[in-house]
Amino acid sequence: MGEAVTARPASTILLLRDGAGGPDDKGRGEIEVFMMVRHHEIEFSSGALVFPGGSVDASDREIIARPELYADSEGSDAAALSFRIAAIRETFEESGILLARPRGSKELVEAKQAASIAAGHRADLAERNTTFPDILDATGMVLALDELVPYAHWVTPEGMSKRFDTWFFLAAAPPEQLGAHDGRESTDSLWLSAREAVAGGESGRFKLPFPTTRNLIKLGKQPNVRAALDDARGKPVVTVMPVLTKLNGGRQLRIPLEAGYDGELFEI
């Protein structure tokens, strides 16, 4: 047997907004979440519909040593901070959506300014011609880590050739920041309800990774963004590392029932 592959730290954000119109008494529709279709030539999850996110990198850890560049209400340790910072950086790089505040402000950056920052720096960040700390310095932004609510923690099973240790966060989408795919790592982007995304996975319209499906089904149980954030805030997150089992000639994945998903054993 070869050496065990270490799981790479990674983060992703479920950016949420309340859909317009709907049956409830506040006139809102279902929660909508921002998702992207990964390029078919990408090595990991090619062609899949996913939430924006990616691996933790060195610049994320560099930001930790500069507390003036972020606002964190959790009192997080260095490891937790790196996951949060990576989540916001990757989301900005992949979608142009920026969860940050102008230095000295209590309000999230306005959509027009966020679009200007994305137009001026996003491509250079993707090409590694600049770093996220440099962008924050140049634009006077402070990362809104306090807007992120831990939602899930998934670790790729042992024995896989590529493994990730991934934290999923919830966040209300900054007002009027709509997001757009970069055409490099992703080829499409859309806002859709959890129900629509899951139905698309079942019909073949979308290719949905297993953890993405489970988190969409879990999210779909909430009536609106505020309820989803309130339900997740302060709730213990149970780590999920699926276990592959074989039964009656088929294959199944088992996940901890206490993780709060829609079951424990799933046919694959």
Side-chain angles (χ1 to χ4, degrees):
M1 293 182 64
E3 293 185 7
V5 177
T6 300
R8 182 188 306 174
S11 305
T12 188
I13 300 180
L14 284 68
L15 286 165
L16 310 177
R17 72 181 188 185
D18 288 313
D24 68 35
D25 58 3
K26 294 184 179 179
R28 294 179 178 144
E30 301 168 89
I31 295 177
E32 294 180 337
V33 59
F34 182 79
M35 301 191 74
M36 320 185 77
V37 177
R38 289 180 63 82
H39 197 287
H40 70 278
E41 293 181 353
I42 291 288
E43 182 181 2
F44 185 74
S45 291
S46 61
L49 184 68
V50 297
F51 312 117
S55 299
V56 176
D57 73 13
S59 73
D60 301 322
R61 299 185 178 95
E62 178 185 334
I63 290 175
I64 294 172
R66 301 186 57 190
E68 74 275 11
L69 294 182
Y70 58 88
D72 174 48
S73 61
E74 300 290 327
S76 306
D77 59 23
L81 285 171
S82 68
F83 282 108
R84 289 172 178 263
I85 293 167
I88 293 180
R89 175 187 53 75
E90 284 282 349
T91 296
F92 172 71
E93 185 175 325
E94 293 186 352
S95 73
I97 294 174
L98 181 59
L99 276 164
R101 303 182 181 92
R103 197 162 295 149
S105 173
K106 295 182 179 180
E107 302 297 326
L108 291 174
V109 59
E110 293 184 356
K112 184 176 181 179
Q113 185 178 7
S116 176
I117 293 171
H121 300 280
R122 185 179 168 196
D124 282 339
L125 182 61
E127 296 285 349
R128 301 299 179 253
N129 293 324
T130 189
T131 67
F132 205 36
D134 286 344
I135 293 172
L136 298 177
D137 278 330
T139 59
M141 289 292 117
V142 177
L143 297 181
L145 304 188
D146 52 323
E147 292 287 318
L148 302 184
V149 179
Y151 191 58
H153 182 214
W154 285 66
V155 181
T156 309
E158 294 177 350
M160 304 293 287
S161 60
K162 187 177 287 288
R163 302 182 65 225
F164 291 91
D165 176 344
T166 305
W167 275 90
F168 293 74
F169 297 96
L170 297 184
E176 298 181 28
Q177 290 194 47
L178 300 180
H181 53 284
D182 60 10
R184 293 161 46 91
E185 292 191 17
S186 56
T187 57
D188 197 7
S189 55
L190 61 165
W191 288 92
L192 73 174
S193 71
R195 176 187 53 78
E196 290 174 304
V198 172
E202 293 173 346
S203 70
R205 177 188 175 194
F206 301 127
K207 175 183 175 182
L208 286 178
F210 180 74
T212 305
T213 301
R214 303 279 72 80
N215 281 301
L216 284 167
I217 292 172
K218 182 179 176 182
L219 176 67
K221 297 175 182 178
Q222 299 297 330
N224 53 55
V225 173
R226 179 183 291 274
L229 295 174
D230 287 347
D231 182 68
R233 194 172 281 115
K235 180 178 289 187
V237 174
V238 176
T239 298
V240 176
M241 188 167 72
V243 175
L244 179 64
T245 61
K246 296 181 179 180
L247 182 66
N248 299 327
R251 298 194 305 164
Q252 297 174 319
L253 283 179
R254 184 183 299 276
I255 65 175
L257 190 60
E258 59 270 24
Y261 289 100
D262 52 316
E264 181 180 19
L265 202 58
F266 302 87
E267 300 284 347
I268 60 171

